[in-house]
Amino acid sequence: MLALKYLLMILGAVLFGSSAGLVAYDIFLSTQLRRLLRRGTTETDAPGTELARRPFRPVRWRLAVQLAAAGGLALLVTQSVAVVPDGAAGVRVSQIWGVRPGTLYPGVHLVTPFIDGIATYDTREQVYTTLATELVKAKGEVAPSGEVLMVQAREGLSIGLAVSVRYRLDPRKLDTIHANLPQPIGEQVVAPVVATIYRQLAPTYVTREIFATKREELRTKAAEAITARLNSDGIIVREVLLRDLKLPAEYAKGLEGLLLKEQENERLGTEQEIKLKEVRIAELEADAQKARDVKQAEAQAQVRVLQAKAESDSMQYTLPLKQKQIEQSKLEAEARKEATIQNAEAAAQAKVIDSKAEVERQKNLTEAEGNRLRVTADAEANRIRVTAAADAERMKFEASVLKQNPMLIQKIIAERLSDKLQIMMVPIDGKNFFANDVMRSAFSGISGGGNSGSQDGNDPEDPSPASMTATAQKKPPKRP
């Protein structure tokens, strides 16, 4: 429908233009024809008089009027079409009868051209906001819009209130709103109602109540009053919010100190209650422990009574059992006695058998020992014989060796005298041997003291071929 409206508007404009262009074109042609005719009459009179007698082509006024009428009709049709946008509603206002009843909702509507008009209103939710104090706009920032709402409490102190009211217009009452309420609605209707309601309710409370305990109560009452007042004017209130309160500076400082003292008092009261509760808990724990002890003693007494009853009940069954046990013990004693007698007889028989076996074993040991002694004596005699034969053979060998080398006797004697002597073999003649003088001087005292002579009647200091060529010296003591 909206496209049709714009199409008709374009068509009307084109028709009006066509009508004007047609008239202008016909007038232009007539003007050109007259100019040509005037020029022809100056050159030749006869042809000019003949052309001047002919009638000129008339202007097409009728067609132009028809085109203009069609364009006016198209424009008239476009003026009868009105469009209400989304989120809004309208009311028909007549130049003759005034506001017409009924609401025009979003869409296309037909109205009487040049008589009826449409006044549109935004039916979406709107927010009216007040400030608690004047805000200074910082550099590069935009200060929030809204007027400052100041109310007086019961003490006469001024309190700034930051209030936000969400509201929307009732589409069913737009005719009444348009006919009776001033415009704009937010500034002329909502703002005075909100300020008036809060200024009426605030004096019924003290400043401290408004600030602390009864803020929500004040907001609730104000919301109810604002909703009822604006609802009668066709304004639907969705929500009333009390965002902030601004107290006077001196009162705020005093209230802050008072709140700190109250908090301290509450803290001390809380600590006192905690102490009292701890004492109460200790008393209850003591009572509970006492009750537990009493219950435990009673339980132990009951257990003892039950144990005594159980013992008395069990004695009825214990006595016959004891008698049976005594009889069983007697039978076991008789059995042990018979077993002991049998064991004693068996032990005596075992001892007799053991004694006979011991005698036989001693006899066998004696015979074995005799056999062993005989074998040992035979082995020893055989060993002595073999040893004597070996010694005799060795002595024969040594006699033959000594017979060939008589000086070996002295060497053997020197070796057996001490393990600290070392033996050195030197040539018999002692020629070209540097140690003869040294050994002679070392052993001169030893050989001169006890032995005045040597074998074969030679001087021991004179190294002759018949003298001993072995020298001895003390070995140094071995270190551990």
Side-chain angles (χ1 to χ4, degrees), residues 186-249:
E187 296 178 1
Q188 300 296 328
V189 178
V190 177
V193 170
V194 173
T196 302
I197 294 299
Y198 271 103
R199 289 189 177 111
Q200 289 176 355
L201 294 176
T204 59
Y205 299 95
V206 296
T207 305
R208 187 176 178 183
E209 292 177 349
I210 297 175
F211 180 74
T213 58
K214 295 185 178 181
R215 180 188 296 189
E216 183 62 23
E217 180 181 343
L218 174 63
R219 188 200 68 80
T220 304
K221 289 184 177 180
E224 293 176 355
I226 292 170
T227 302
R229 183 76 61 84
L230 294 180
N231 193 21
S232 63
D233 294 332
I235 301 173
I236 301 173
V237 178
R238 295 294 186 185
E239 189 176 10
V240 177
L241 301 176
L242 181 57
R243 303 192 318 274
D244 192 13
L245 296 174
K246 184 63 177 180
L247 299 175

Side-chain angles (χ1 to χ4, degrees), residues 138-173:
K139 184 177 181 180
E141 296 181 359
V142 179
S145 61
E147 63 177 5
V148 179
L149 177 59
M150 302 295 294
V151 298
Q152 288 185 349
R154 185 183 300 175
E155 304 94 330
L157 295 176
S158 296
I159 303 173
L161 300 180
V163 180
S164 294
V165 180
R166 293 174 52 199
Y167 68 94
R168 60 187 292 265
L169 301 179
D170 189 357
R172 297 171 298 179
K173 298 181 179 180

Side-chain angles (χ1 to χ4, degrees), residues 35 60 99 120 125 152 172 186 384 391:
R35 187 172 60 82
R60 290 172 288 184
V99 179
T120 58
E125 287 191 359
Q152 288 185 349
R172 297 171 298 179
I384 291 170
D391 290 340

Side-chain angles (χ1 to χ4, degrees), residues 357-478:
E358 183 66 23
V359 171
E360 187 68 24
R361 187 179 66 80
Q362 291 294 334
K363 183 178 179 180
N364 293 331
L365 289 175
T366 302
E367 292 177 356
E369 184 66 22
N371 294 329
R372 187 183 66 79
L373 292 175
R374 284 194 296 273
V375 171
T376 303
D378 294 340
E380 184 66 22
N382 190 17
R383 186 185 67 78
I384 291 170
R385 286 194 296 270
V386 173
T387 302
D391 290 340
E393 186 70 23
R394 183 177 60 79
M395 291 180 69
K396 289 180 182 180
F397 178 74
E398 290 178 356
S400 62
V401 172
L402 291 175
K403 187 176 179 181
Q404 296 176 1
N405 300 306
M407 298 301 294
L408 288 175
I409 297 173
Q410 296 180 6
K411 175 181 178 297
I412 294 170
I413 292 171
E415 287 178 352
R416 292 184 179 182
L417 286 175
S418 174
D419 58 350
K420 297 181 181 180
L421 295 178
Q422 292 182 352
I423 305 301
M424 183 181 296
M425 303 299 293
V426 297
I428 295 175
D429 54 1
K431 293 180 179 181
N432 299 322
F433 187 66
F434 73 92
N436 284 335
D437 296 336
V438 178
M439 292 182 181
R440 185 183 303 114
S441 62
F443 290 98
S444 62
I446 298 173
S447 60
N451 298 323
S452 59
S454 61
Q455 293 180 356
D456 298 334
N458 295 322
D459 189 359
E461 295 181 359
D462 188 9
S464 60
S467 65
M468 182 181 65
T469 61
T471 61
Q473 66 179 8
K474 282 189 177 182
K475 293 182 180 180
K478 296 181 180 180

